[in-house]
Amino acid sequence: MRKAQFAAVFSLAFFALAGGCLTIAGHGFTTSSKRGHWSVFVPAPQAYVMAAIMFVLSLLGVVWLLQQARAPHRVWLMAAAGYAGTAFLLTRAWAHWLH
């Protein structure tokens, strides 16, 4: 069960990070009704709140993973740098691809 927990939290952290980066890169996101009859574009100011929520969710997952691994402080620093770098690169790549 422990491997499944790690895989689930890692997936949550990764996809929340990807969603936050995609929201920022696209300067918003589109949402639709349950049946898909209509859609609404959520512009940048409101979408950035959603991106912030997704980044916090992702960071909570990463912190849990590091705590469970009993990582030393230098690993926490490397993880923080890697997280920030990944977020920056994903956002830049998707911004270039979307526009």
Side-chain angles (χ1 to χ4, degrees), residues 5-99:
Q5 287 175 331
F6 274 96
V9 173
F10 179 81
S11 297
L12 175 74
F14 174 75
F15 287 116
L17 170 67
C21 292
L22 191 57
T23 300
I24 290 175
H27 302 290
F29 61 91
T30 302
T31 184
S32 61
S33 68
K34 190 185 288 188
R35 308 264 191 283
H37 296 293
W38 51 266
S39 63
V40 174
F41 181 75
V42 180
Q46 294 89 359
Y48 291 161
V49 173
M50 184 63 169
I53 292 168
M54 294 183 83
F55 283 127
V56 169
L57 178 65
S58 176
L59 285 171
L60 285 173
V62 171
V63 166
W64 184 85
L65 290 169
L66 290 170
Q67 284 178 341
Q68 295 303 307
R70 301 189 199 291
H73 292 294
R74 72 179 190 290
V75 174
W76 282 73
L77 291 174
M78 291 186 329
Y83 185 91
T86 302
F88 178 76
L89 290 175
L90 275 176
T91 304
R92 293 276 306 224
W94 275 328
H96 178 69
W97 183 70
L98 291 173
H99 300 295

